[in-house]
Amino acid sequence: MKKIITALAVLLVVVGGFFAFTSGKHSDSTGKSTSSDSKMSLKELNVQFVPSTNAETMLAKAKPLENLLSKKLGIPVHVSVATSYNTAVEAMGSKKVDMGFLPPDSYVTAQKQYGVKAILQSTKLAMKDNNTGETTDKVVNTYKSMIIVKSNSPIKSIEDLKGKKIATQSAISTSGYLFPVVELYKKGINVVKDSTLVQVKGHDQGVMSVLNGDTDAAFVYDDVRTNVQKDQPDVFKDTRVIYYSNPIPNDTISLRKGVTSSDAKKIQKAMMEIAKTDEGKKALADGYSWQGVTEAKESSFDNVRQYEETIKKIQ
């Protein structure tokens, strides 16, 4: 009798433990069991990139992140590419986009106007300042803007940009407008007043405008020429750099106002894990030439805020 009672007691403990365990679990969209406290408040995640290069090409390269992030979070993820830097900021402000891959100037604007918060910042291999597009082995969270001209151009220095036609990105682009315009202004060269600025869509298009002779120079990030080298194999021979800017904080992964801190932590963790996988590394490298991601610090963007104050004086 004692043996029967003991066996029943053990059975009750085992069964009770099983139900206690399973009641705190659920299956996510990948079929994996996850604890109930890991559920997202967001029912879906809308992610948007800014058009640093051709939008269709970017979307194709960024698409793998859609599946990777969806599997990690257990909710549908939708990736898109904004038509401009401004539309990405406005989309986050209106809550149409939950997560944006924003360059620093766009982030500072979005943070100031709409309470957007940076959770991660990209890391890249530092570029060599030798007009080759080669990288060092040093991983950094900054990059530079550069001004390129044709190799046979009579433009030898930044002083020669006066009266010339220059390809830029929108005024909210850090490397394609803000940093070169402000730094040239501080050196006594007001390209807003004394040159013709031509806005193009994508830094690769800035390079092409110089190669095609549509503009005399272009403000682009270093070194976007690697993105056009496949179609323009002689791009490094046919262009040269006349100026490198001060270091610019790398792009951000930012969340709109209203995303809970719990969801923000899950998204941050998911992206950091994805960035360590082979698939994730490839998607980030192909889309943005990112090496990886690191936690964002608000102080990293103070110089961008200072440049924004200076740009208001330039007309």
Side-chain angles (χ1 to χ4, degrees):
M1 189 66 179
K2 273 186 176 181
K3 290 182 178 180
I4 294 172
I5 293 171
T6 302
L8 286 171
V10 171
L11 181 61
L12 285 171
V13 170
V14 172
V15 172
F18 173 77
F19 280 107
F21 176 74
T22 56
S23 65
K25 308 285 276 187
H26 76 282
S27 291
D28 64 15
S29 61
T30 67
K32 293 180 180 179
S33 183
T34 58
S35 61
S36 58
D37 62 3
S38 70
K39 291 174 86 172
M40 296 280 291
S41 298
L42 289 169
K43 302 305 179 187
E44 62 179 7
L45 185 71
N46 292 302
V47 181
Q48 194 161 81
F49 292 79
V50 295
S52 62
T53 56
N54 180 274
E56 289 184 9
T57 302
M58 274 197 69
L59 184 59
K61 290 178 177 178
K63 206 69 175 174
L65 281 176
E66 194 173 72
N67 294 327
L68 292 170
L69 197 51
S70 181
K71 288 178 181 178
K72 282 284 184 184
L73 299 176
I75 59 174
V77 174
H78 310 289
V79 170
S80 63
V81 177
T83 55
S84 70
Y85 293 84
N86 286 320
T87 56
V89 171
E90 294 303 318
M92 294 190 75
S94 63
K95 299 186 178 181
K96 292 177 181 177
V97 168
D98 307 301
M99 184 170 98
F101 282 63
L102 300 179
D105 193 35
S106 299
Y107 166 66
V108 167
T109 299
Q111 191 268 335
K112 182 178 180 180
Q113 293 183 356
Y114 301 115
V116 170
K117 177 69 176 176
I119 57 169
L120 293 168
Q121 193 178 7
S122 67
T123 59
K124 296 183 178 184
L125 291 175
M127 304 297 302
K128 294 180 179 179
D129 293 350
N130 61 359
N131 200 54
T132 63
E134 297 174 350
T135 60
T136 68
D137 57 2
K138 185 178 179 182
V139 177
V140 295
N141 64 350
T142 60
Y143 70 111
K144 294 179 181 179
S145 169
M146 62 184 193
I147 303 175
I148 63 166
V149 298
K150 265 190 172 179
S151 295
N152 60 0
S153 170
I155 299 173
K156 303 299 180 185
S157 67
I158 55 175
E159 286 77 15
D160 297 330
L161 292 173
K162 186 174 182 179
K164 299 298 190 296
K165 190 181 291 186
I166 306 170
T168 74
Q169 300 303 304
S170 74
I172 203 173
S173 169
T174 323
S175 56
Y177 191 91
L178 180 66
F179 266 59
V181 169
V182 168
E183 291 185 14
L184 291 180
Y185 178 76
K186 289 180 176 180
K187 296 177 184 294
I189 303 158
N190 188 342
V191 292
V192 173
K193 180 181 177 182
D194 299 328
S195 302
T196 301
L197 304 185
V198 180
Q199 184 178 326
V200 297
K201 194 173 179 180
H203 292 250
D204 54 342
Q205 294 306 306
V207 176
M208 292 306 301
S209 72
V210 171
L211 287 175
N212 294 334
D214 298 325
T215 59
D216 302 299
F219 297 161
V220 293
Y221 68 80
D222 70 331
D223 197 310
V224 68
R225 290 177 296 176
T226 57
N227 291 351
V228 301
Q229 194 172 21
K230 182 179 179 181
D231 296 323
Q232 301 290 331
D234 294 328
V235 63
F236 285 96
K237 184 176 75 174
D238 295 340
T239 60
R240 57 185 165 84
V241 182
I242 63 167
Y243 183 79
Y244 287 100
S245 75
N246 291 325
I248 304 169
N250 276 357
D251 293 350
T252 72
I253 296 178
S254 301
L255 298 177
R256 65 167 174 81
K257 185 178 181 180
V259 174
T260 66
S261 58
S262 176
D263 280 358
K265 288 177 182 177
K266 292 181 181 72
I267 295 168
Q268 183 188 57
K269 182 174 183 288
M271 283 303 307
M272 292 183 83
E273 290 175 352
I274 287 170
K276 293 177 182 177
T277 67
D278 291 340
E279 284 181 291
K281 286 178 181 177
K282 186 177 189 312
L284 293 173
D286 289 349
Y288 271 123
S289 302
W290 288 13
Q291 185 74 12
V293 293
T294 187
E295 290 190 36
K297 295 180 180 178
E298 202 58 44
S299 59
S300 298
F301 306 97
D302 286 346
N303 63 338
V304 179
R305 295 183 176 95
Q306 293 167 3
Y307 275 55
E308 284 191 340
E309 289 304 309
T310 302
I311 202 79
K312 295 174 184 175
K313 304 173 185 177
I314 306 174
Q315 46 184 295

